[in-house]
Amino acid sequence: MKPSRLLDWLDSRTGIRQLAHEALYEKVPGGARWRYVWGSTLTFIFLVQVLTGLLLWSGYSASAQTAWESVFFIEHVMWGGWVLRGIHHFAAHAMVVLLVLHLLQVVIDGAYQAPREVNFWFGLVLLGLTLALALTGYLLPWDQKGYWATKVATDIAGITPLVGPQLQRVIVGGPDYGHATLTRFFALHAGVLPALVVAAVVGHIYLFRKHGLTPAKPIRKPDGRFWPDQLLMDAVACLAVMAAVLVLTFWLRAPLSAPADPSEPFPARPEWYFLFLFQLLKFFPGGTEVWGAIVIPGVVMVLVSAMPFLGRWRLGHRFNLALLAGVLLGAGVLTLQAWAQDRRDPAHQRALARAETDARRAGEASHRRDGCTQAGAL
């Protein structure tokens, strides 16, 4: 059968030509621009996460007795496993960066204003789901770094007014951190949260196509189409993001500390995108942590979510720009402050050195003949 006849048959059954035309010939006001690539790069990096996550799942064992061993096997024994895990690890970091850049572009262009308010909220939901994916994935290696960082995060949830202790118990799966904690986080990370992300992305794209692209002003070029110019820019941007992820994978490698040990404290720190919150809590000692953990972040999120309404005010758009700039600047200053304090803290540096020694010893033990296999610590 000729390709044209096959395509005619497929089109008569599916309407693929009309779907392709609507997807490729979408109107781009003001022509193709690099500032429009962030949505496509986010979709691309999420697909990378799904693919690498499924492949990692084939070698991962979600058990407090075997999780670390299975990750060690992927990292050091399975052919190409360290590359696969590195791509998954650093793509998660890239996704957070791309979301922030996309949020900046949306606010700067005023794409949160009517009739795009609901789509803006879909974007905020996607930001929250992405951070939740990062948090739940942090525990899955069941190493010291992930275990103690997750303990810090769930302890913060425990200070929520009225429902804090009950909420923490539900998240942890009981009074102590153990097998139930790991399996709950794995179910969230590999099942519930990705499904919610897919649903939110579908809604986000549907509303985007319904209302169209918000052009960056001033418009100096005639309107264009998604194909071929914008698609080419999107493809180049996706390749650049993937190249950055690969550079980080081969240069740094994804970390794996010693196996989780509740009796051996670890100098726990969250990943860099949560570090500002960790630093903020230092300003609220004693029984005032709720202000730094719940009240202030809650007020900020309410203000960001209210941007579509604040933007109706005569100076509302400028206020929203100043609000977002202030939030990002404040988070950046707190993050740098946390890094600087840790570098100047001799006790913290000694704890890091001890943790590095423990991780090296665990790796050496696992490389022995009777050490780590794919089946676990035999």
Side-chain angles (χ1 to χ4, degrees):
M1 182 182 290
K2 294 182 179 180
S4 59
R5 293 185 63 185
L6 176 61
L7 185 59
D8 291 340
W9 177 86
L10 187 62
D11 181 59
S12 67
R13 269 65 174 177
T14 64
I16 191 172
R17 282 197 176 100
Q18 180 65 25
L19 290 173
H21 185 274
E22 290 182 1
L24 293 176
Y25 291 92
E26 176 190 4
K27 181 180 178 182
V28 180
R33 295 194 183 189
W34 288 106
R35 65 194 301 153
Y36 299 150
V37 303
W38 305 117
S40 296
T41 56
L42 277 166
T43 304
F44 168 76
I45 210 68
F46 175 68
L47 293 176
V48 170
Q49 288 290 79
V50 170
L51 177 60
T52 55
L54 288 172
L55 293 174
L56 288 171
W57 194 347
S58 68
Y60 177 72
S61 178
S63 162
Q65 285 72 44
T66 58
W68 187 89
E69 288 82 359
S70 66
V71 174
F72 186 92
F73 181 87
I74 291 170
E75 183 73 22
H76 297 285
V77 181
M78 188 174 77
W79 185 86
W82 68 273
V83 177
L84 188 66
R85 182 167 175 260
I87 292 173
H88 192 76
H89 175 80
F90 291 110
H93 293 258
M95 197 166 179
V96 174
V97 174
L98 292 172
L99 272 165
V100 173
L101 292 174
H102 189 40
L103 178 62
L104 274 170
Q105 181 250 321
V106 166
V107 175
I108 289 172
D109 291 347
Y112 57 86
Q113 297 172 340
R116 298 175 175 84
E117 303 97 328
V118 175
N119 208 20
F120 176 71
W121 294 327
F122 263 102
L124 295 181
V125 169
L126 283 168
L127 175 60
L129 290 173
T130 299
L131 294 176
L133 277 168
L135 179 63
T136 52
Y138 208 54
L139 179 68
L140 298 188
W142 202 245
D143 61 351
Q144 282 283 75
K145 186 176 181 180
Y147 177 91
W148 288 98
T150 303
K151 192 175 187 305
V152 170
T154 53
D155 285 345
I156 291 175
I159 65 176
T160 305
L162 301 178
V163 299
Q166 294 81 3
L167 178 62
Q168 184 178 15
R169 190 180 183 92
V170 169
I171 295 173
V172 172
D176 299 315
Y177 295 81
H179 178 73
T181 313
L182 179 61
T183 53
R184 289 189 181 206
F185 274 61
F186 180 64
L188 287 170
H189 185 78
V192 177
L193 292 173
L196 292 175
V197 169
V198 170
V201 167
V202 169
H204 193 60
I205 293 176
Y206 166 76
L207 291 174
F208 172 76
R209 296 302 299 268
K210 176 178 175 62
H211 299 298
L213 190 148
T214 303
K217 298 177 181 179
I219 298 176
R220 297 189 177 93
K221 297 191 299 182
D223 294 348
R225 298 290 176 181
F226 182 72
W227 168 271
D229 295 339
Q230 190 62 53
L231 180 61
L232 176 62
M233 289 183 178
D234 288 0
V236 171
C238 290
L239 288 174
V241 171
M242 193 64 208
V245 169
L246 289 173
V247 168
L248 291 173
T249 298
F250 283 88
W251 180 32
L252 298 178
R253 298 192 64 156
L256 180 66
S257 58
D261 184 358
S263 65
E264 182 67 27
F266 183 87
R269 294 292 186 273
E271 283 287 10
W272 60 269
Y273 39 79
F274 287 122
L275 197 57
F276 73 95
L277 185 58
F278 176 84
Q279 184 67 15
L280 180 63
L281 290 175
K282 295 180 181 179
F283 295 96
F284 300 93
T288 63
E289 299 98 333
V290 66
W291 287 93
I294 305 297
V295 177
I296 294 178
V299 169
V300 170
M301 284 307 301
V302 168
L303 287 174
V304 173
S305 301
M307 279 184 176
F309 304 111
L310 296 173
R312 298 175 183 176
W313 173 42
R314 185 172 59 88
L315 299 177
H317 183 61
R318 294 182 181 180
F319 175 84
N320 288 336
L321 291 174
L323 172 63
L324 186 59
V327 170
L328 295 178
L329 179 62
V333 169
L334 288 171
T335 301
L336 293 175
Q337 191 178 51
W339 280 334
Q341 288 182 1
D342 284 344
R343 283 198 300 267
R344 294 194 302 263
D345 186 354
H348 181 73
Q349 294 302 317
R350 286 194 297 270
L352 284 177
R354 184 171 63 250
E356 182 64 28
T357 300
D358 291 342
R360 185 172 63 253
R361 288 174 177 171
E364 291 171 354
S366 297
H367 275 300
R368 295 171 186 163
R369 182 167 57 88
D370 59 346
C372 180
T373 69
Q374 189 177 18
L378 299 179

